[in-house]
Amino acid sequence: MSASPTPLESLGLRPVDGPFGTTWHPGSDQALRDALLEGAASGTPMAPLGAGSSVRGCRVRQAAGEAPATWVSTRSLIPSGSSGIIEYVPGDGTITAYAGTPWSDLRAAVHEGGHRLTPAIHGDATLGGVIAAGRSGLDRCAFGPLRHHVLGLRVMDGTGRIARSGGRLVKNVTGFDLHRVHTGAAGTLGVILEASLRLMPIPESETLIESEPLGTPAAAVRAALSVRSHPGISTRSLFTVGSSVVVQLAGRRAQVETERRRVLELLTPKTEIAGPDATDRCLELGSTAPAIRIQCRPSNVADIVELCVGANELHGLLRVEPDAALVDLAPDAVQHLHGDFWTQAAPAIREAGGLVELRMRTPKGASAFIDATPIPHTEWSARLLSAFDPGNVLRIPR
Amino acid sequence: MNGHRTLSATGLSALRKVVGERGVRSDSIAKTAYESDGFMLQREAPEVIVLPRTTEEAAAAIKILRAEGLVVVPRGAGTGLTGGARPVRGGAIVGTARMRDILEIHEVDRFARVQAGVVNVHLSGACKDAGLFYAPDPSSQTACTVGGNVGNNSGGPHCFKYGTTTRHVLGMTLVDSEGEIHHVGGALPDPHGLDFVGPLVGSEGMLGLCTEVTVRLLPEPECVETLLVLFKSLNACCDAVSEMIARRLEPSAIEILDRLTIEAVEASVLRAGYPADADAVMLVEVEGGEEEVAATSSDIEAVTKEFGAFETRRTTDPVERKKLWAGRKGAFGAMGRIAPDLYVADVVAPRTKLREIVKVAAEACAARDLKLSNVFHAGDGNLHPNISYDRRDPDEVKRVLEAGRIIMEACVAAGGSLTGEHGVGLEKQGEMCLVFNDDDLGAMHDLRRTFDPHSFWNPGKMMPVRGCREIEAAPLGHGTDAAASEAPQR
């Protein structure tokens, strides 16, 4: 005699075991709606899941004592026989797809039409997951953060209501920009079902320069800032890894060559890669998910880096984007942090205007800094959550 | 409580104490000046106009107005074109005309913090010495304010490359309906967490009063070249733009002016040297490094020749460039030579369908004996079919509104939208249901209540009050009876 179906099975969701435990796959928007309503009624938290790449990146955390969330996949919402792409119009430079569509599939499709996606990321992330996680890429210094490229969304909130905002157009100010709130909200205000993105042209030429080490991470950051402030250099990506500077240039062929020469007046190259491989190498060097991210300003990023390093052996474990003023500490860096990092360096970083964000399970001694992570306008946040998820079902475990 | 509440003598006195004698106007001359914005077809005088100088004054004034039971319409320079900056019925206007200080320009961190009433063009002027500029450049930039641009998510020709205002706002100071001051966002280039700045930009003054804005500044490009490309056919000019987008050419602006616009500009003091024998003029700007600009400009010249351009003028000379742009920026003003009033439509179409929408606009106007001139931000698909008319002729007004509605419907049917940069305001409120359904609008109502649970800010704008299912096709501005249905709560 077979076991009686679980409530979600009886609603038509299919359980699939995976690295995050059981993930439930709704076959339609209606099944997803039923599941969310069932979750609200039974007090079972649910969390939308794309490919889980942000979970692996320690972005989503499980707090002790909290009921485990039921993962609900958005990948099964792609209609049978569909690639997931709803519309790609090369002449418009936009793409619209179901949220569960793999980013790599989107990337391949738009490449055919001469376009690129931003952020330029590899791996098995999904469109909805990238947007929910608010994953900007290394090219943010050229194109801006991800939220500038999300043109519109279709989202199911915790009440099962499906609402659209924005659209498929590169310019559109009709109605409130609700899609901006959902971008980076980690699915707490709704499950992203469909998204439209602005696309970037594939450049005629691109090149990547990795400098020889400059002695210290702070020296590398200062060198990177000199590249940033050069009026004749416009970088596609610019960051430091340890004490080396990485510069990616892209655009018209003659311009890239001119700017390459200007960069080489400022940096001694260790490696140079030209052509499409430049982007792949850039991602290899700069895409490690951080355990700790510090946000500051370009004007104080070098000082913040010095505070981070202090007496800690972090040389190869720091990645810094000077233009976005982001200081990332790799997961291995946490093991190298001395106890006084949290008692002395971190408060000094805060004093200098840096904001510390933890992106993995709480390191020992860091608990005070969970509160230091900015959660702005809690009254507005509470009202938003109450409006879009009154049953408190969309709870990402943290 | 509703929008008809009057201001008590005590309230008036309290406001004067907060913002000074010059900061409160309730005389008939001032009320007349504030009874409309650039959308002249509808007018409604406010009960009082309050002009604070600081965020603190604004917050104190809001507390008084709330206690008096008056709703508030935030207003910048009043250059908006949809009726968004005038009351629906009574209430107060809180303007930023006396908030004109640039508070901070940070060269290394590339941001500026300004009071909301700073005039757009003054900001770029102020940061020029630092080698920086503020990208959004609406045609009204010599008058419109940064705060007003935030309210409408304003654009401008160079938004083709740089994006509309929302991509340039890092943070703002907002006064809520309780008179509390909130600092949202800041100078961080890519903050994490819920993004409240995003929905506040373009919220048309319906979520709070923006008193200070922190904006991103960009480095001045190394080289700028302007191309004036002449066509014998407007259709060919539109097709050339679609092809430039398809070939992924990246100028910073692509503008089109049609023959009637050219004639109006050339007959005005803004004469830019546009030739009279062209049926359409394409104005393109290319920015970047010298080699990049040279290569891209040559490619653009080649594409436009393929589509029948009979002449191309290229210049990097700042004086000549300024003259060419003066014609475009002054195009709306020059239309005053054609008729006393101008209805500036603002619609968006997919960039592959420009020609289709231009045809619809031409037919809709021809069938109604209306004079149509076209100015587009063609690179973005943002069209401005402009209809010249005389508001003293009620029948002509009716025909103008009919044509406007047909153009909007055609854009939406083609996959476009109602507005690209002017906002919805009162003008397009009824047409929101062409784009959004009841659930979409319900979610927007929920967002609004998050920031403004009392419907205190700019009630009766943007959102149709009745459900979309109930709204039938109706003349513009008559789709709702908004103020009555959206009475603020205390």
Side-chain angles (χ1 to χ4, degrees), chain B residues 29-258:
Chain B
I29 294 172
K31 285 183 179 181
T32 302
Y34 281 87
E35 68 183 8
S36 77
D37 54 16
F39 184 60
M40 303 286 193
L41 283 170
Q42 299 168 340
R43 291 159 189 269
E44 174 71 25
E47 175 70 16
V48 62
I49 302 109
V50 185
L51 304 169
R53 288 161 293 199
T54 64
T55 297
E56 290 71 25
E57 282 188 5
I62 292 305
K63 284 179 182 170
I64 294 165
L65 293 167
R66 181 87 195 283
E68 287 284 313
L70 295 179
V71 297
V72 168
V73 178
R75 180 168 169 130
T79 55
L81 293 165
T82 62
R86 64 97 166 152
V88 172
R89 198 171 299 161
I93 282 180
V94 176
T96 57
R98 296 202 300 165
M99 303 181 75
R100 301 218 158 173
D101 287 342
I102 294 173
L103 304 168
E104 184 181 6
I105 291 177
H106 203 294
E107 188 173 338
V108 175
D109 292 340
R110 293 178 181 164
F111 73 84
R113 192 165 58 86
V114 303
Q115 284 192 303
V118 166
V119 172
N120 174 296
V121 78
H122 294 170
L123 175 54
S124 274
C127 43
K128 197 168 180 57
D129 286 348
L132 301 169
F133 74 105
Y134 177 59
D137 60 340
S139 297
S140 58
Q141 70 179 142
T142 54
C144 66
T145 63
V146 174
N149 297 167
V150 169
N152 288 307
N153 191 7
S154 302
H158 291 80
C159 289
F160 173 61
K161 176 170 182 173
Y162 299 111
T164 54
T165 300
T166 192
R167 286 169 69 178
H168 303 275
V169 176
L170 298 170
M172 68 178 76
T173 301
L174 194 83
V175 177
D176 71 12
S177 56
E178 309 289 342
E180 298 296 323
I181 297 168
H182 300 263
H183 300 287
V184 192
L188 296 177
D190 189 6
H192 74 284
L194 287 181
D195 174 17
F196 285 116
V197 173
L200 287 170
V201 178
S203 59
E204 304 195 18
M206 295 171 69
L207 304 183
L209 175 68
C210 171
T211 57
E212 291 179 15
V213 192
T214 302
V215 297
R216 189 168 68 112
L217 301 175
L218 301 176
E220 289 271 12
E222 190 182 29
C223 177
V224 184
E225 180 164 21
T226 304
L227 292 82
L228 183 75
V229 191
L230 311 178
F231 288 83
K232 290 284 187 193
S233 149
L234 179 58
N235 283 338
C237 189
C238 291
D239 291 345
V241 171
S242 297
E243 182 63 17
M244 284 158 60
I245 305 297
R247 292 195 197 177
R248 301 174 301 284
L249 293 169
E250 290 186 292
S252 55
I254 310 175
E255 301 285 300
I256 291 179
L257 292 77
D258 71 358

Side-chain angles (χ1 to χ4, degrees), chain A residues 179-216:
Chain A
H179 47 285
R180 286 285 296 266
V181 190
H182 288 289
T183 303
T188 52
L189 298 174
V191 181
I192 297 170
L193 302 175
E194 183 185 315
S196 298
L197 295 178
R198 176 199 319 274
L199 302 172
M200 305 298 152
I202 293 176
E204 183 179 277
S205 172
E206 56 191 310
T207 194
L208 180 120
I209 301 160
E210 184 184 357
S211 80
E212 288 285 1
L214 283 117
T216 65

Side-chain angles (χ1 to χ4, degrees), chain A residues 194-265:
Chain A
E194 183 185 315
S196 298
L197 295 178
R198 176 199 319 274
L199 302 172
M200 305 298 152
I202 293 176
E204 183 179 277
S205 172
E206 56 191 310
T207 194
L208 180 120
I209 301 160
E210 184 184 357
S211 80
E212 288 285 1
L214 283 117
T216 65
V221 169
R222 290 196 175 91
L225 285 167
S226 69
V227 172
R228 174 183 181 265
S229 62
H230 192 298
I233 300 173
S234 178
T235 57
R236 180 62 52 97
S237 304
L238 173 65
F239 56 97
T240 67
V241 180
S243 54
S244 293
V245 181
V246 180
V247 183
Q248 186 187 13
L249 303 168
R252 304 303 298 244
R253 196 173 311 284
Q255 186 66 36
V256 168
E257 180 51 30
T258 297
E259 294 188 16
R260 176 185 157 273
R261 286 197 299 270
R262 290 170 179 160
V263 170
L264 296 182
E265 288 169 9

Side-chain angles (χ1 to χ4, degrees), chain A residues 9 31 57 92 97 135-136 145 191 200 207 213 251-252 259 283-284 287 291-292 307 309 311 319-320 322 356-357:
Chain A
E9 279 176 313
D92 256 339
R135 282 180 71 176
S136 298
V191 181
M200 305 298 152
T207 194
R252 304 303 298 244
E259 294 188 16
L283 291 173
E284 279 171 31
S287 286
I292 297 170
L307 286 169
V309 175
R319 187 177 63 84
V320 181
V356 182
E357 180 193 359

Side-chain angles (χ1 to χ4, degrees), chain A residues 33 59 89-94 113-115 134-137 140-149 157 160-178 180-186 188-189 198-202 204 225 228-234 236 250-256 258-259 261-262 293 295-300 322-326 353 355-357 359 373-385 387-388, chain B residues 104 106-111 152-157 159-160 163-164 166-169 174 176 182-185 187-204 206-207 216 219-222 242 245-246 248-250 288-293 295-297 299 346 348-352 377 379-382 384 415-424 432 435-453 462-463:
Chain A
R33 179 181 291 117
R59 181 71 190 266
V89 186
D92 256 339
T94 60
H115 287 109
R135 282 180 71 176
S136 298
R140 86 183 95 206
C141 70
F143 300 130
L146 169 71
R147 59 181 172 274
H148 291 175
H149 307 289
D157 68 19
R161 175 180 62 186
I162 295 177
R164 289 174 305 123
S165 72
R168 301 180 184 184
L169 303 154
V170 294
K171 192 176 187 186
N172 180 14
V173 299
T174 311
F176 293 126
D177 281 355
L178 259 170
R180 286 285 296 266
V181 190
H182 288 289
T183 303
T188 52
L189 298 174
R198 176 199 319 274
L199 302 172
M200 305 298 152
I202 293 176
E204 183 179 277
L225 285 167
R228 174 183 181 265
S229 62
H230 192 298
I233 300 173
S234 178
R236 180 62 52 97
R252 304 303 298 244
R253 196 173 311 284
Q255 186 66 36
V256 168
T258 297
E259 294 188 16
R261 286 197 299 270
R262 290 170 179 160
R293 167 163 284 179
Q295 301 180 79
C296 49
R297 291 182 181 190
S299 56
N300 65 6
D323 188 66
L326 296 176
L355 298 172
V356 182
E357 180 193 359
R359 294 197 162 200
T373 301
I375 305 169
H377 306 291
T378 51
E379 191 182 339
W380 292 345
S381 304
R383 283 194 207 137
L384 262 186
L385 287 166
F388 289 98
Chain B
E104 184 181 6
H106 203 294
E107 188 173 338
V108 175
D109 292 340
R110 293 178 181 164
F111 73 84
N152 288 307
N153 191 7
S154 302
C159 289
F160 173 61
T164 54
T166 192
R167 286 169 69 178
H168 303 275
V169 176
L174 194 83
D176 71 12
H182 300 263
H183 300 287
V184 192
L188 296 177
D190 189 6
H192 74 284
L194 287 181
D195 174 17
F196 285 116
V197 173
L200 287 170
V201 178
S203 59
E204 304 195 18
M206 295 171 69
L207 304 183
R216 189 168 68 112
E220 289 271 12
E222 190 182 29
S242 297
I245 305 297
R248 301 174 301 284
L249 293 169
E250 290 186 292
E290 279 183 25
E291 286 89 348
E292 180 184 6
V293 168
T296 302
S297 294
D299 285 352
D346 165 44
V348 197
R351 297 181 287 189
T352 48
H377 305 304
D380 294 317
N382 185 190
H384 294 315
S417 195
L418 298 178
T419 167
E421 57 183 6
H422 296 173
V424 175
M432 285 285 277
V435 180
F436 297 114
N437 64 26
D438 283 343
D439 282 344
D440 304 333
L441 294 171
M444 290 185 194
H445 271 298
D446 284 342
L447 178 81
R448 182 176 183 200
R449 282 190 285 268
T450 293
F451 292 93
D452 181 22
M462 187 205 285
M463 309 292 290

